[in-house]
Amino acid sequence: MIPKVFKEVIDLGDGREISIETGKLAKQAHGSVVVQSGKCMLLCTVVSNYEQKDLDFLPLTVDYREKFAAAGRYPGGFFKREARPSDGEVLTMRLVDRVLRPLFPKDYHSETQVMIQLMSHDEDVMPDAMAGLAASAAIQLSDFPFECAISEARVGRVNGEFIINPTRAQLEESDIDMMIGASADSVMMVEGEMDEISEEEMADAIKFAHDHIKIQCEAQLRLAEAFGKKETREYPAEREDADLKKKVHDMAYDKVYAIAKAGSSKHERSTAFSEIKEDIKATFSEEELEDYGGLVSKYYRAAEKAAIRDLTLNEGLRLDGRKTVDIRPIWCETDYLPSVHGSAIFTRGETQALATVTLGTSRDANKIDMPSYEGEENFYLHYNFPPFCTGEARPIRGTSRREVGHGNLAQRGLKGMVPDNCPYTVRVVSEVLESNGSSSMATVCAGTMAMMDAGVQLTKPVSGIAMGLISDADSGKYAVLSDILGDEDHLGDMDFKVTGTADGITACQMDIKVKGLSYEILVSALQQARDGRLHILEKLTDTIATPRADVKDYAPKMVTVRIANEFIGALIGPGGKVIQELQKETGTTIVINEDPETEEGIVEILGTGQEGIDAVLAKIDSITFKPEVGSVYEVKVIKMLDFGAVVEYMEAPGNEVLLHVSELAWERTENVSDVVIMGDVFDVKYFGIDKRTRKEKVSRKAILPKPEGYVAPKPREDRGSRDNNRGRDNRGPRRDDRKRD
């Protein structure tokens, strides 16, 4: 039976299209679609169990995987099978999850899986830009309780013109790379990197993407209508008790408000809030707590959130006593660790990051091997968030998705300021030692100072700040919060992180939890973020104003030279013998890469001692030495032969040439040792390749004055006739003739 296929096509406005198709594949899933643009195809399936979990959160898993077969490639490594997701796949999962999760009902706790797979790859299509569209389209075909259709789109800007879902080639020329997630009514997520753009330009890019997302949402609704919109499933609603809710609110609100207004530290505040909660629970009997304990905790959290939000909206005060625009106290220090190439501590309030920098060669670049992209990064940042930084003890099970995402944000904020001519591969590692509000932005600040401490010539220093928003739709009040705390992150309506220089934004990450946020509020928040960012930047430059002029004494120095392609083999030597011995003798690391455009060899020399680097450069000069015809060079005798002396060019040790006995002096020379001996240093003239011997010819006598009355010796007798008498014709019968006889 041929399945009936339903399809909708989205016009991107420049000749490109995106199609959404269902009815052919994965029909046992609760919803499945194939999204295609060009030759790129994504299969998305969604399934949600009908049993509710006994949890207070939605157990949602968003999984994005790229199949190597989609690009006609084999997975790397020993086992030819896709294994754990790459960082690129994890980042795409996070982009989709952050938009989907808030649109499920808060009381929906069924295990839900969204699985997106790249099934066919197109070099001109970036698949992550369509992942959000695929996820939402599949959910629209299901019976999930989901608020509304959403989509995600990438925005680039080339020559001042915005482009929706640009190709990778266009992105290389673009000064903006932003992913925007939105419904038809509201922008919900923004993430990306920029080339020092203004706040207004960022808002314009968001508007441009939102206009295209509205079209994509309409296409999903049309597909669902044609397919047959399913009735939304029923599920057990969470237990509610209005009287209990009011009772807990009345008992908690004023007390929480007073503690919040006191402006205490995180630990003191947390302890005081816990005591209020325990006091409320103590008013109930054991039987009541057994029956209503979960509701009491839930209603207490709601009262606490309401009190803290009201404090900020009514009085402009925050949990730690600051006003909305205040930044917590900052202290910084560089060159803290004595053995690393660069280090810095950045502490803002109760958030602290220690960043280290390691300098290396191109061999240390971060290799990226994905079906949709192959390449390498010469600047990369890793972010670690151990449990002790929040005063917790919990198992450590590898790098979390959060650590990958926060590290990527900090990396995007900094990488534009690493100059293209930086000879090193630069690795920054951020160790978060304390956390109470935006450790990723602390990482940006610590990373900036650590690279400057390491002698990386950053174009401009970069700082970052985390912002929040509390708003009340009924009263129209809102408050933008600078440098938010961890608690403010959870109770606010928007949290966004912005990094930048004094001249513009370099990266951002924004999650908007309130519907219909106006662009005026958005721009206002971005402007306030700029003021805070510049304040923090001033603290950084007070600590270290400019990058060190050079790397530290114990850090490796890098020298890069280019050599002609023909000399690469001589520098490497048979089986790598020459380069290996050279590295061992000089204590350096030598890496040779080939420039595909010029076919030259790019030699990277990394070493802590200048003597070793100079020795390598001298060896390269020796290997690549080419004497010029007619020039005079100083040489040294290194070997005596019966028919001449082997001499070595003084300016290119290791380059040898035969000085024939006939070129030693104008007089006839019977013994070489009559004219020169081992170790003699003198000048010779270079004549190039001798046509008769086809070997290099040098002469000592050519630069000596001719003796008075000198008569050139007669040329040797031509031996050609004797040689001709030895020809084939005089050797007797040829083989064929003998055989014939």
Side-chain angles (χ1 to χ4, degrees):
M1 173 180 161
I2 300 174
K4 185 176 181 180
V5 176
F6 300 86
K7 187 174 183 178
E8 282 291 331
V9 176
I10 301 165
D11 185 1
L12 295 180
D14 56 3
R16 294 176 299 149
E17 294 180 340
I18 300 177
S19 67
I20 318 173
E21 178 184 287
T22 190
K24 184 180 291 185
L25 303 181
K27 291 184 288 184
Q28 292 193 44
H30 295 164
S32 69
V33 295
V34 173
V35 174
Q36 181 171 359
S37 181
K39 294 185 291 184
C40 177
M41 298 176 68
L42 292 175
L43 169 65
C44 178
T45 58
V46 295
V47 174
S48 185
N49 293 338
Y50 285 92
E51 301 81 18
Q52 284 271 77
K53 290 273 189 178
D54 186 17
L55 301 168
D56 60 354
F57 63 91
L58 172 65
L60 169 67
T61 302
V62 176
D63 196 77
Y64 171 80
R65 300 298 177 100
E66 296 187 353
K67 306 297 183 179
F68 276 87
R73 295 176 50 210
Y74 284 91
F78 184 78
F79 296 103
K80 300 303 178 186
R81 184 183 181 93
E82 289 85 357
R84 64 181 300 275
S86 66
D87 283 1
E89 290 168 317
V90 168
L91 293 171
T92 302
M93 297 175 197
R94 283 175 54 84
L95 286 173
V96 177
D97 186 294
R98 284 161 51 199
V99 183
L100 296 184
R101 191 175 294 273
L103 297 178
F104 284 92
K106 287 184 172 53
D107 61 348
Y108 186 69
H109 305 314
S110 295
E111 181 131 13
T112 304
Q113 277 188 333
V114 177
M115 300 188 68
I116 310 165
Q117 303 178 57
L118 175 66
M119 308 301 289
S120 177
H121 175 53
D122 187 330
E123 288 289 339
D124 293 327
V125 180
M126 298 183 70
D128 58 343
M130 302 190 300
L133 168 63
S136 177
I139 292 174
Q140 295 307 304
L141 301 175
S142 73
D143 62 349
F144 300 175
F146 193 73
E147 189 171 318
C148 60
I150 60 94
S151 189
E152 293 179 347
R154 172 177 272 111
V155 175
R157 186 174 66 175
V158 178
N159 298 325
E161 296 292 328
F162 289 123
I163 303 172
I164 199 71
N165 290 357
T167 64
R168 195 175 294 278
Q170 289 173 322
L171 211 55
E172 293 292 329
E173 303 175 13
S174 174
D175 62 351
I176 293 176
D177 177 9
M178 290 174 59
M179 287 285 287
I180 291 90
S183 66
D185 300 325
S186 302
V187 174
M188 306 168 66
M189 185 277 299
V190 179
E191 181 163 327
E193 61 187 86
M194 309 88 179
D195 186 11
E196 296 182 280
I197 68 171
S198 68
E199 287 73 15
E200 291 78 11
E201 288 175 304
M202 180 174 165
D204 289 342
I206 295 172
K207 289 179 183 178
F208 175 79
H210 195 192
D211 290 340
H212 283 270
I213 287 173
K214 291 175 183 177
I215 297 171
Q216 296 178 14
C217 291
E218 292 171 1
Q220 296 176 51
L221 298 179
R222 290 196 303 270
L223 181 69
E225 191 66 31
F227 179 74
K229 182 65 177 174
K230 297 178 182 177
E231 291 291 328
T232 301
R233 70 173 62 175
E234 294 183 359
Y235 62 94
E238 283 188 339
R239 184 181 179 187
E240 296 290 347
D241 189 320
D243 293 337
L244 179 62
K245 182 176 183 179
K246 184 177 184 306
K247 179 180 178 180
V248 172
H249 180 274
D250 293 343
M251 294 172 69
Y253 182 89
D254 291 339
K255 295 178 181 178
V256 170
Y257 196 100
I259 292 172
K261 190 174 180 179
S264 53
S265 68
K266 176 183 176 181
H267 178 72
E268 293 171 342
R269 187 170 60 246
S270 177
T271 301
F273 286 160
S274 295
E275 289 175 355
I276 294 174
K277 182 178 177 180
E278 292 304 315
D279 289 344
I280 292 173
K281 283 187 172 182
T283 63
F284 296 91
S285 65
E286 291 185 7
E287 292 78 8
E288 288 174 325
L289 286 177
E290 188 175 344
D291 193 15
Y292 295 107
L295 286 178
V296 171
S297 297
K298 175 182 173 181
Y299 294 149
Y300 169 77
R301 289 194 298 270
E304 183 182 288
K305 180 177 179 179
I308 297 171
R309 287 171 61 92
D310 288 348
L311 172 67
T312 302
L313 288 174
N314 297 336
E315 303 187 43
L317 294 176
R318 300 161 64 178
L319 286 169
D320 57 359
R322 285 181 293 152
K323 296 182 180 179
T324 57
V325 297
D326 291 344
I327 311 295
R328 287 173 290 175
I330 294 171
W331 68 265
C332 313
E333 182 179 341
T334 60
D335 199 19
Y336 177 71
L337 300 174
S339 298
V340 303
H341 299 165
S343 64
I345 303 172
F346 177 82
T347 306
R348 183 190 61 238
E350 296 172 299
T351 297
Q352 184 178 75
L354 170 61
T356 60
V357 172
T358 308
L359 306 176
T361 68
S362 59
R363 188 181 295 166
D364 302 305
N366 185 34
K367 302 293 190 296
I368 301 174
D369 184 21
M370 296 175 61
S372 62
Y373 177 65
E374 292 179 88
E376 59 184 32
E377 296 173 328
N378 290 320
F379 168 72
Y380 51 100
L381 186 150
H382 292 149
Y383 165 100
N384 297 315
F385 192 87
F388 68 77
C389 72
T390 55
E392 298 175 280
R394 52 181 168 78
I396 300 174
R397 296 188 175 94
T399 305
S400 67
R401 292 187 179 187
R402 180 184 181 278
E403 288 173 308
V404 172
H406 280 49
N408 178 70
L409 174 61
Q411 177 177 322
R412 298 178 88 176
L414 289 169
K415 75 175 185 180
M417 295 301 112
V418 179
D420 294 335
N421 61 358
C422 178
Y424 296 98
T425 290
V426 180
R427 180 187 184 227
V428 178
V429 178
S430 173
E431 304 291 346
V432 179
L433 306 181
E434 292 182 58
S435 181
N436 183 18
S438 193
S439 52
S440 63
M441 296 298 95
T443 293
V444 170
C445 299
T448 291
M449 293 187 294
M451 283 196 285
M452 294 169 74
D453 178 54
V456 178
Q457 302 302 306
L458 289 184
T459 307
K460 299 171 189 175
V462 181
S463 65
I465 189 170
M467 306 290 292
L469 174 72
I470 295 176
S471 62
D472 183 8
D474 296 333
S475 65
K477 292 181 180 179
Y478 74 90
V480 178
L481 311 180
S482 296
D483 181 24
I484 58 174
L485 302 169
D487 291 338
E488 292 171 334
D489 187 356
H490 299 302
L491 60 85
D493 297 322
M494 175 175 71
D495 67 89
F496 64 100
K497 304 172 180 69
V498 186
T499 73
T501 67
D503 298 320
I505 299 171
T506 59
C508 74
Q509 184 182 89
M510 187 180 302
D511 290 298
I512 303 169
K513 308 166 191 175
V514 61
K515 293 182 182 179
L517 180 70
S518 70
Y519 284 98
E520 289 74 20
I521 294 178
L522 177 61
V523 172
S524 171
L526 288 170
Q527 292 289 358
Q528 185 172 319
R530 183 178 185 275
D531 295 338
R533 200 177 72 235
L534 294 179
H535 169 78
I536 296 170
L537 189 60
E538 185 178 346
K539 298 293 184 181
L540 305 186
T541 53
D542 285 346
T543 304
I544 179 167
T546 57
R548 293 181 183 273
D550 200 359
V551 298
K552 298 178 181 178
D553 293 339
Y554 50 83
K557 286 77 178 172
M558 170 79 84
V559 175
T560 303
V561 295
R562 287 176 174 263
I563 63 175
N565 185 276
E566 61 189 280
F567 296 117
I568 295 177
L571 180 55
I572 295 173
K577 181 179 179 182
V578 173
I579 195 171
Q580 289 173 8
E581 289 183 354
L582 190 58
Q583 290 182 110
K584 185 176 180 181
E585 292 170 1
T586 61
T588 60
T589 300
I590 305 171
V591 178
I592 305 175
N593 297 309
E594 188 173 341
D595 188 327
E597 295 182 1
T598 64
E599 294 188 351
E600 290 180 303
I602 303 173
V603 184
E604 299 175 358
I605 309 163
L606 191 80
T608 55
Q610 191 61 44
E611 290 183 5
I613 293 174
D614 291 342
V616 176
L617 291 173
K619 181 66 173 179
I620 292 173
D621 288 341
S622 174
I623 291 173
T624 59
F625 174 73
K626 277 188 174 183
E628 296 181 4
V629 175
S631 296
V632 176
Y633 297 95
E634 189 177 43
V635 297
K636 179 181 180 180
V637 178
I638 60 172
K639 188 182 294 184
M640 302 288 287
L641 303 172
D642 291 341
F643 49 87
V646 178
V647 296
E648 179 184 63
Y649 293 99
M650 294 295 287
E651 64 182 89
N655 273 271
E656 305 169 0
V657 65
L658 174 65
L659 174 59
H660 195 267
V661 65
S662 63
E663 298 296 333
L664 284 171
W666 290 104
E667 298 85 0
R668 181 178 179 81
T669 304
E670 296 295 341
N671 296 308
V672 176
S673 59
D674 292 342
V675 181
V676 297
I677 60 174
M678 282 288 291
D680 276 359
V681 177
F682 49 85
D683 291 339
V684 297
K685 187 174 183 179
Y686 181 74
F687 287 93
I689 304 298
D690 190 313
K691 293 182 180 179
R692 185 173 63 85
T693 64
R694 296 183 181 178
K695 294 182 179 179
E696 289 184 298
K697 178 182 177 180
V698 293
S699 174
R700 177 177 177 269
K701 73 179 184 181
I703 57 176
L704 297 175
K706 285 185 181 181
E708 189 174 344
Y710 173 79
V711 179
K714 293 181 181 180
R716 294 185 180 185
E717 180 184 351
D718 185 8
R719 301 169 62 185
S721 59
R722 185 176 64 178
D723 291 341
N724 287 338
N725 289 335
R726 293 181 179 179
R728 184 180 293 277
D729 292 341
N730 296 322
R731 293 177 187 172
R734 291 181 298 180
R735 181 177 297 177
D736 290 346
D737 294 337
R738 291 198 300 268
K739 186 177 180 181
R740 191 179 300 116
D741 292 344

